[in-house]
Amino acid sequence: MSTARIILRETVETGDAEVTRPLKWYETAWESGFVRKAMIILFLAIVWEIYGRWLDNPLLFPTLSETLEALRDRIADGSLPARAWASVKVLLMGYAAGVFLAFTLTIIAINTRMGSDFLETMTAMFSPLPAIALLPLALIWFGLGNGSLVFVLIHSVLWPVALNTHSGFRGVSQTLRMVGRNYDLRGLNYVFKILIPAGFPSILSGLKIGWAFTWRTLIAAELVFGVSSGQGGLGWFIFEKRNLLEIPDVFAGLLTVILIGLVVENLVFRTLERRTVLRWGMQS
Amino acid sequence: MDTQATATRATPQPLLEVSGVTLRYKTASLAVTATERVSFTVNKSDRFVLLGPSGCGKSTLLKAVGGYMEPSEGTITIKGRKVTKPGPDRMMVFQEFDQLLAWKTVLQNVTFPLINARGMSAREADEKARYYIEKVSLTRAVDSYPHTLSGGMKQRVAIARGMAMEPDILLMDEPFAALDALTRRQCQDELLQLWHDTQFTVLFVTHSIAEAIKISNRILLLSPHPGRVKAEVVDVDTVSATDGSAGRLEKDIHDLLFS
């Protein structure tokens, strides 16, 4: 009768078994999102240049090189940076105020049922309402100036950020909530130490959407009621240059809008993402 | 260790008293009675296990001891104080892996409640946390974020976090249920080793008879729908896995629960 036995195997050492190897430089480069995205932009730039040259009509569609020249000149004479700064200043004011209001509203909403109903009703009503549609009214209420712009900016950032923050808070798992209560965390302490970090992926995407909305709203508002903002921002710059038929300058203005958007997305938000949700393994 | 265990048994100090507790909760369409008039006491340094098939209300009972729900009948007292809300004197270890704060490293996860609930200084908390992290042999992972750890390591962090708080009682809700069999055994051995080192009091919920026998010195057997106390097994730590007495006890408990 046989019984269970353990038969040991001898391990064979081949010596050249490759377990890990360093990546080649091009493999490393391709792994970097920045490199891949830069190549996409480069490709688009080449297509633009070729199309512009083929069309050969700077009044309709200037080439990339003409646009870059205009950009360089406008930066050199200081008009474009001043306009961009005027826009960014108003933007930051509106954005900060909107985010602050959104957080206040959401913190109230998460703690009381009435607050939650209020937030849901308000977002349902105002979220689909284009901020620009409020501008004529805002001009009556706050006059020509930054006040009206900030008002519409707050409107454009408040609802998406509040909506996303609220859904982020609600998505925090029951276990984590119980852990927080186990630690005797209450009120704002509980919100800041458990709910906000735990719901951060959602909050961050709200902040990103809010940013895109405000930027869009601001440029559009300046285009329509450009003169309202004192010395005028980027939108007004574009509007002005189109009236003067300086189309390369119009393109330079548009390019600036895009560039600022890219910088914020890739530097500010990307860094924030890397330091938070990516590092914590909440997103990959 | 045996002499110590006998000594504790000779002069029991009731730490947790659950008397006549009925727990009801509401779902969308019906009110459920999870447990009915359950009574038991846990003494200091007990490894007390609530054992029963699913639906016997053992997890609900643990949550009530944790202060997360109020009994509709009966009282729960800990060291004479009535339990009314969750608190750091009863640290919970949950079954779910997401109980760790994902935005904090292993060390920060352990120091966080020490600083926030115990009011320790950062230095003190750091020292204490490192001591307990070493006890669960995770010193190497001290600066890792939870998402880089395996399930077993996460549960060990949760245990270190609970123990570092030095609570009156550690409440464990099937902490090893989601682990693979090998890791599970390893974690059970470690828990026992920790207990031999520090003699903490633990209330442990499981649905595995073998786990209950391995870990506990007392077992409360519950029957389902609604949860009622069926029996209490004492001196569980006198059985041994090698001479077959553990196997026999396991069979007896099985027959009792499923008769």
Side-chain angles (χ1 to χ4, degrees):
Chain A
M1 200 181 95
S2 58
T3 53
R5 283 161 302 159
I6 297 174
I7 302 161
L8 290 178
R9 292 271 184 92
E10 275 168 48
T11 43
V12 188
E13 297 269 346
T14 53
D16 62 342
E18 186 188 60
V19 181
T20 56
R21 81 180 157 81
L23 293 178
K24 302 273 188 326
W25 67 267
Y26 52 86
E27 284 173 318
T28 322
W30 195 244
E31 281 307 303
S32 151
F34 180 76
V35 173
R36 290 197 306 269
K37 283 177 188 164
M39 292 192 36
I40 292 172
I41 289 177
L42 195 69
F43 172 74
L44 292 176
I46 293 169
V47 171
W48 177 359
E49 182 68 26
I50 291 172
Y51 179 71
R53 282 179 192 225
W54 174 77
L55 197 67
D56 196 23
N57 186 350
L59 266 185
L60 270 185
F61 199 94
T63 63
L64 174 63
S65 44
E66 281 166 331
T67 306
L68 287 178
E69 254 169 61
L71 187 67
R72 192 196 58 208
D73 294 345
R74 294 292 82 79
I75 289 175
D77 68 16
S79 60
L80 201 51
R83 296 303 184 86
W85 175 237
S87 288
V88 168
K89 217 165 47 185
V90 181
L91 180 84
L92 287 179
M93 278 195 282
Y95 190 67
V99 169
F100 176 77
L101 276 177
F103 270 71
T104 317
L105 210 58
T106 320
I107 289 171
I108 295 170
I110 204 73
N111 284 310
T112 60
R113 204 196 312 201
M114 263 322 264
S116 173
D117 292 344
F118 176 75
L119 180 69
E120 271 163 32
T121 318
M122 291 297 275
T123 11
M125 282 187 334
F126 289 116
S127 191
L129 186 67
I132 280 297
L134 285 176
L135 194 58
L137 261 182
L139 288 172
I140 299 176
W141 291 343
F142 303 102
L144 293 171
N146 285 346
S148 326
L149 282 177
V150 170
F151 176 78
V152 289
L153 292 187
I154 288 176
H155 171 82
S156 72
V157 70
L158 175 56
W159 309 116
V161 172
L163 204 60
N164 272 278
T165 309
H166 194 226
S167 84
F169 284 176
R170 282 192 311 185
V172 176
S173 80
Q174 198 54 41
T175 316
L176 272 183
R177 288 166 192 274
M178 286 170 80
V179 168
R181 290 171 60 201
N182 199 181
Y183 293 172
D184 235 356
L185 294 174
R186 270 181 301 246
L188 282 183
N189 238 345
Y190 176 67
V191 171
F192 279 100
K193 290 178 173 168
I194 302 287
L195 290 184
I196 290 183
F200 209 67
S202 212
I203 294 174
L204 192 64
S205 78
L207 289 175
K208 273 162 120 174
I209 296 171
W211 160 260
F213 275 26
T214 25
W215 196 212
R216 230 186 272 176
T217 305
L218 177 65
I219 300 300
E222 286 179 347
L223 269 172
V224 184
F225 298 90
V227 77
S228 69
S229 59
Q231 56 164 336
L234 267 178
W236 182 237
F237 176 89
I238 294 168
F239 186 70
E240 242 177 8
K241 296 298 177 187
R242 197 218 61 152
N243 284 351
L244 301 171
L245 283 181
E246 286 168 5
I247 304 305
D249 281 1
V250 172
F251 271 68
L254 287 173
L255 202 59
T256 315
V257 173
I258 292 172
L259 282 177
I260 293 177
L262 273 181
V263 164
V264 170
E265 169 72 33
N266 283 293
L267 282 179
V268 180
F269 283 117
R270 199 64 203 156
T271 313
L272 197 58
E273 224 166 47
R274 228 183 11 251
R275 295 241 173 116
T276 56
V277 290
L278 290 178
R279 190 172 185 197
W280 305 336
M282 289 169 163
Q283 238 168 49
S284 50
Chain B
M1 166 255 143
D2 253 341
T3 50
Q4 208 162 6
T6 345
T8 7
R9 228 174 281 135
T11 53
Q13 308 159 261
L15 179 84
L16 172 72
E17 278 193 84
V18 174
S19 50
V21 165
T22 301
L23 295 168
R24 291 201 185 89
Y25 60 87
K26 284 194 191 107
T27 65
S29 56
L30 67 166
V32 182
T33 304
T35 68
E36 198 175 66
R37 301 210 175 114
V38 170
S39 301
F40 61 91
T41 59
V42 177
N43 300 327
K44 196 162 187 318
S45 292
D46 263 346
R47 286 161 287 149
F48 197 96
V49 167
L50 301 175
L51 176 66
S54 46
C56 73
K58 53 195 189 302
S59 283
T60 318
L61 205 52
L62 195 78
K63 286 205 173 76
V65 175
Y68 294 104
M69 64 187 296
E70 214 179 322
S72 36
E73 206 182 316
T75 53
I76 302 171
T77 57
I78 184 143
K79 281 187 164 171
R81 284 172 283 124
K82 196 164 175 246
V83 167
T84 51
K85 60 181 175 63
D89 56 334
R90 286 150 285 137
M91 285 298 285
M92 297 276 295
V93 176
F94 298 92
Q95 176 183 343
E96 292 82 6
F97 292 155
D98 70 347
Q99 63 183 301
L100 298 180
L101 311 181
W103 55 96
K104 292 187 179 292
T105 63
V106 168
L107 182 68
Q108 288 165 344
N109 258 292
V110 182
T111 55
F112 182 75
L114 290 172
I115 294 168
N116 281 284
R118 279 270 182 278
M120 279 192 188
S121 73
R123 268 251 314 275
E124 257 180 300
D126 195 82
E127 210 168 288
K128 180 154 274 195
R130 281 179 196 277
Y131 173 77
Y132 280 100
I133 289 169
E134 201 207 309
K135 276 218 175 291
V136 295
S137 44
L138 279 176
T139 307
R140 268 188 316 135
V142 96
D143 291 319
S144 311
Y145 282 93
H147 72 103
T148 62
L149 306 179
S150 68
M153 289 162 95
K154 283 182 196 166
Q155 294 311 81
R156 273 142 69 192
V157 177
I159 292 170
R161 167 172 83 175
M163 290 189 49
M165 289 289 282
E166 291 167 358
D168 291 334
I169 189 167
L170 197 59
L171 307 175
M172 304 179 101
D173 188 5
E174 306 197 38
F176 308 142
L179 300 177
D180 64 272
L182 285 177
T183 318
R184 190 175 188 174
R185 274 173 78 162
Q186 200 188 345
C187 282
Q188 291 166 351
D189 290 335
E190 277 181 10
L191 186 70
L192 275 180
Q193 189 54 51
L194 280 171
W195 184 84
H196 286 304
D197 290 353
T198 51
Q199 309 271 315
F200 54 92
T201 315
V202 58
L203 183 59
F204 194 104
V205 164
T206 182
H207 58 247
S208 153
I209 302 175
E211 184 168 76
I213 292 173
K214 183 164 180 187
I215 281 186
S216 71
N217 64 334
R218 288 167 69 202
I219 303 175
L220 194 74
L221 297 181
L222 295 161
S223 64
H225 307 300
R228 291 195 185 98
V229 177
K230 200 155 195 182
E232 189 182 331
V233 190
V234 294
D235 294 341
V236 183
D237 45 357
T238 56
V239 300
S240 133
T242 42
D243 67 2
S245 52
R248 279 195 300 279
L249 182 61
E250 185 173 344
K251 190 176 175 306
D252 290 346
I253 292 176
H254 182 273
D255 292 347
L256 188 64
L257 280 180
F258 298 100
S259 58

